[in-house]
Amino acid sequence: GGVLFGTGLGFGCSVLSAALSGVLSLLLARRTGARAVDELAAGSRAEAVAALARRHGLFAVLLQRLIPGIPDAPLSYAFGALGLTVRQIALGTVIGVAPRAFSYTALGHASVSGDGRLALIAVAAGVAVSAVGTVAGALVVRRHRKQRGAHVP
């Protein structure tokens, strides 16, 4: 997006497309039912995510979008099957993907414009959001383990 449209417009397009794809995935998943998600989540880390999503949908989406390396699409389907609302997935996605979307689009724009300062800001933002997402995810898993009194692999 940054290469094609620049940082501002590329950022907007990235965030909007992420929110739309999350909402579409949620709506499609509602037709498949929650049983498949429950079967896949049994006895795994996904169980903790499912429990969190059922209790705190918006927070679960936001957290998932911030944690690096976790794909959005499969969890958007899971969130839909778990009964999250369009508002929860849309707002959680917009807030959660915004920092990384800025980083990627600014880096793309910097790569074609030769703006070294923008590239440094983009990389710093990407590293910071990855660190925040990783720490927040670890804290949530630790809290879930303490509440359940069981080991979550």
Side-chain angles (χ1 to χ4, degrees):
V3 170
L4 293 175
F5 306 118
T7 302
L9 184 58
F11 169 75
C13 290
S14 295
V15 171
L16 181 61
S17 67
L20 287 175
S21 67
V23 167
L24 289 174
S25 297
L26 172 119
L27 294 173
L28 287 171
R30 284 185 179 171
R31 298 204 181 264
T32 63
R35 188 178 347 169
V37 172
D38 288 338
E39 289 174 12
L40 291 172
S44 69
R45 286 185 182 179
E47 188 176 284
V49 173
L52 177 67
R54 285 186 175 114
R55 285 191 317 270
H56 308 286
L58 176 64
F59 177 72
V61 174
L62 173 65
L63 182 63
Q64 183 271 314
R65 299 308 198 230
L66 284 174
I67 299 172
I70 297 179
D72 292 348
L75 281 170
S76 292
Y77 290 111
F79 291 145
L82 291 168
L84 271 67
T85 66
V86 168
R87 180 184 174 281
Q88 289 171 316
I89 194 98
L91 188 57
T93 299
V94 166
I95 296 167
V97 303
R100 193 167 286 117
F102 167 77
S103 179
Y104 291 156
T105 56
L107 192 57
H109 185 210
S111 72
V112 295
S113 70
D115 187 342
R117 183 171 168 229
L118 181 59
L120 287 174
I121 292 169
V123 169
V127 169
V129 74
S130 293
V132 167
T134 301
V135 169
L139 291 173
V140 168
V141 168
R142 182 178 296 149
R143 182 174 181 204
H144 179 75
R145 286 178 179 167
K146 285 181 181 178
Q147 287 176 345
R148 296 288 182 215
H151 176 70
V152 179

